[in-house]
Coordinates of all heavy atoms in Angstrom, one line a residue:
Chain B
P106 N 192.9 138.4 176.6 CA 192.1 139.5 176.0 C 190.7 139.4 176.4 O 190.2 138.4 176.6 CB 192.3 139.3 174.5 CG 192.8 137.9 174.4 CD 193.5 137.6 175.6
K107 N 190.0 140.6 176.4 CA 188.6 140.7 176.8 C 188.3 140.4 178.2 O 187.1 140.3 178.6 CB 187.7 139.8 175.9 CG 187.7 140.2 174.4 CD 187.1 141.5 174.3 CE 187.2 142.0 172.8 NZ 187.0 143.4 172.7
A108 N 189.3 140.2 179.0 CA 189.0 140.1 180.4 C 188.9 141.5 181.0 O 189.4 142.5 180.4 CB 190.2 139.5 181.2
R109 N 188.1 141.7 182.0 CA 187.8 143.0 182.5 C 188.1 143.1 184.0 O 187.6 142.3 184.8 CB 186.4 143.4 182.3 CG 186.1 143.6 180.8 CD 184.7 143.5 180.4 NE 183.9 144.5 181.1 CZ 182.6 144.4 181.4 NH1 182.0 143.4 181.0 NH2 182.0 145.4 182.0
I110 N 189.0 144.0 184.4 CA 189.3 144.2 185.8 C 189.0 145.6 186.1 O 189.7 146.5 185.6 CB 190.7 143.8 186.1 CG1 191.1 142.4 185.6 CG2 191.0 143.9 187.6 CD1 192.5 142.1 185.8
I111 N 187.9 145.9 186.9 CA 187.4 147.2 187.1 C 187.5 147.6 188.5 O 186.8 146.9 189.3 CB 186.0 147.3 186.5 CG1 186.0 147.0 185.0 CG2 185.5 148.7 186.7 CD1 184.7 147.0 184.4
A112 N 188.2 148.6 188.9 CA 188.3 149.0 190.3 C 187.6 150.3 190.4 O 188.2 151.4 190.3 CB 189.8 149.1 190.7
E113 N 186.3 150.2 190.7 CA 185.5 151.4 190.8 C 185.5 152.0 192.2 O 185.8 153.2 192.4 CB 184.0 151.1 190.5 CG 183.6 151.3 189.1 CD 182.2 150.9 189.0 OE1 181.6 150.4 189.9 OE2 181.7 151.1 187.9
A114 N 185.3 151.1 193.1 CA 185.1 151.6 194.5 C 186.3 151.3 195.4 O 186.2 151.3 196.6 CB 183.9 150.9 195.1
G115 N 187.4 151.0 194.8 CA 188.5 150.8 195.6 C 189.6 150.1 194.8 O 189.3 149.6 193.7
P116 N 190.8 150.0 195.3 CA 191.8 149.3 194.5 C 191.7 147.8 194.5 O 191.0 147.2 195.3 CB 193.1 149.7 195.2 CG 192.7 150.2 196.5 CD 191.3 150.6 196.5
I117 N 192.3 147.2 193.5 CA 192.3 145.7 193.4 C 193.7 145.3 193.4 O 194.5 145.8 192.6 CB 191.6 145.2 192.1 CG1 190.1 145.6 192.1 CG2 191.7 143.7 192.0 CD1 189.4 145.1 190.9
I118 N 194.1 144.3 194.2 CA 195.4 143.8 194.2 C 195.4 142.4 193.9 O 194.8 141.5 194.6 CB 196.1 144.0 195.6 CG1 196.1 145.5 196.0 CG2 197.5 143.4 195.6 CD1 196.6 145.7 197.4
I119 N 196.0 142.0 192.8 CA 196.0 140.6 192.3 C 197.4 140.1 192.5 O 198.4 140.7 192.1 CB 195.6 140.6 190.8 CG1 194.2 141.2 190.6 CG2 195.6 139.2 190.3 CD1 193.7 141.2 189.2
G120 N 197.4 138.9 193.0 CA 198.7 138.3 193.4 C 199.4 137.6 192.2 O 199.2 138.0 191.0
E121 N 200.2 136.6 192.5 CA 201.0 136.0 191.4 C 200.4 134.8 190.9 O 199.7 134.1 191.6 CB 202.4 135.7 192.0 CG 203.1 136.9 192.7 CD 204.5 136.6 193.0 OE1 204.9 135.4 192.9 OE2 205.2 137.5 193.3
G122 N 200.8 134.4 189.7 CA 200.4 133.1 189.2 C 198.9 132.9 188.9 O 198.4 131.8 188.9
N123 N 198.2 134.0 188.8 CA 196.8 133.9 188.5 C 196.5 133.8 187.0 O 197.3 134.2 186.2 CB 196.0 135.1 189.1 CG 196.1 135.1 190.6 OD1 195.7 134.2 191.2 ND2 196.6 136.2 191.1
L124 N 195.4 133.2 186.7 CA 195.0 133.0 185.3 C 193.6 133.6 185.2 O 192.7 133.1 185.8 CB 195.0 131.5 185.0 CG 194.6 131.1 183.6 CD1 195.4 131.8 182.5 CD2 194.8 129.6 183.5
I125 N 193.5 134.7 184.4 CA 192.2 135.3 184.3 C 191.9 135.2 182.8 O 192.5 135.8 181.9 CB 192.3 136.8 184.7 CG1 192.8 136.8 186.2 CG2 191.0 137.5 184.6 CD1 193.1 138.2 186.7
E126 N 190.8 134.4 182.5 CA 190.5 134.1 181.1 C 189.6 135.1 180.5 O 189.2 136.1 181.1 CB 189.9 132.7 181.1 CG 190.9 131.6 181.5 CD 190.5 130.2 181.3 OE1 189.3 130.1 180.8 OE2 191.2 129.3 181.5
E127 N 189.2 134.8 179.3 CA 188.4 135.8 178.5 C 187.1 136.1 179.2 O 186.5 135.2 179.8 CB 188.1 135.3 177.1 CG 189.3 135.2 176.2 CD 190.1 134.0 176.3 OE1 189.9 133.2 177.3 OE2 190.9 133.7 175.4
Q128 N 186.6 137.3 179.0 CA 185.3 137.7 179.5 C 185.1 137.5 181.0 O 184.0 137.5 181.5 CB 184.2 137.0 178.7 CG 184.3 137.2 177.2 CD 183.1 137.0 176.5 OE1 182.1 136.5 177.0 NE2 183.1 137.3 175.2
A129 N 186.2 137.3 181.7 CA 186.0 137.3 183.2 C 185.9 138.7 183.6 O 186.5 139.6 183.0 CB 187.2 136.6 183.8
L130 N 185.1 138.9 184.7 CA 184.9 140.2 185.2 C 185.3 140.3 186.6 O 184.6 139.6 187.4 CB 183.5 140.6 185.0 CG 183.0 141.9 185.6 CD1 183.8 143.1 185.1 CD2 181.5 142.1 185.3
I131 N 186.3 141.0 187.0 CA 186.6 141.2 188.4 C 186.4 142.6 188.7 O 187.0 143.5 188.2 CB 188.1 140.8 188.6 CG1 188.4 139.4 188.2 CG2 188.5 141.0 190.1 CD1 189.8 139.0 188.3
I132 N 185.4 142.9 189.5 CA 185.0 144.2 189.7 C 184.8 144.6 191.2 O 184.3 143.8 191.9 CB 183.6 144.4 188.9 CG1 183.2 145.9 189.1 CG2 182.6 143.5 189.4 CD1 182.1 146.2 188.1
N133 N 185.4 145.7 191.5 CA 185.3 146.2 192.9 C 184.3 147.3 192.8 O 184.7 148.5 192.6 CB 186.6 146.6 193.4 CG 186.6 147.0 194.9 OD1 185.5 147.0 195.5 ND2 187.7 147.4 195.4
S134 N 183.0 147.0 192.9 CA 182.0 148.0 192.7 C 181.4 148.4 194.0 O 181.5 147.8 195.0 CB 180.9 147.4 191.7 OG 180.3 146.4 192.4
Y135 N 180.6 149.5 193.9 CA 179.9 150.0 195.0 C 178.8 149.0 195.4 O 178.1 148.5 194.5 CB 179.3 151.4 194.7 CG 180.4 152.4 194.5 CD1 180.7 152.8 193.3 CD2 181.0 152.9 195.6 CE1 181.7 153.8 193.1 CE2 182.0 153.8 195.5 CZ 182.3 154.3 194.2 OH 183.3 155.2 194.0
P136 N 178.5 148.8 196.6 CA 177.3 148.0 197.0 C 176.1 148.7 196.5 O 176.0 149.9 196.3 CB 177.3 148.0 198.5 CG 178.7 148.5 198.9 CD 179.3 149.3 197.8
E137 N 175.1 147.9 196.2 CA 174.0 148.4 195.4 C 173.2 149.6 196.0 O 172.7 150.4 195.3 CB 173.0 147.3 195.2 CG 173.4 146.3 194.1 CD 172.5 145.1 194.1 OE1 171.4 145.1 194.7 OE2 172.9 144.1 193.5
N138 N 173.1 149.6 197.3 CA 172.3 150.7 197.9 C 173.1 152.0 198.2 O 172.5 152.9 198.7 CB 171.6 150.2 199.2 CG 172.6 149.5 200.1 OD1 173.8 149.4 199.7 ND2 172.2 149.1 201.2
I139 N 174.3 152.0 197.8 CA 175.1 153.2 198.1 C 175.4 153.9 196.8 O 175.9 153.3 195.8 CB 176.4 152.9 198.8 CG1 176.1 152.2 200.1 CG2 177.3 154.1 199.0 CD1 177.3 151.8 200.9

Side-chain angles (χ1 to χ4, degrees):
Chain B
K107 294 297 176 197
R109 290 159 61 203
I110 307 178
I111 300 175
E113 265 181 354
I117 298 182
I118 300 176
I119 302 183
E121 308 190 348
N123 294 303
L124 176 56
I125 302 170
E126 296 190 355
E127 287 88 346
Q128 303 201 354
L130 171 60
I131 301 177
I132 180 166
N133 186 356
S134 65
Y135 293 102
E137 279 170 16
N138 49 358
I139 300 182

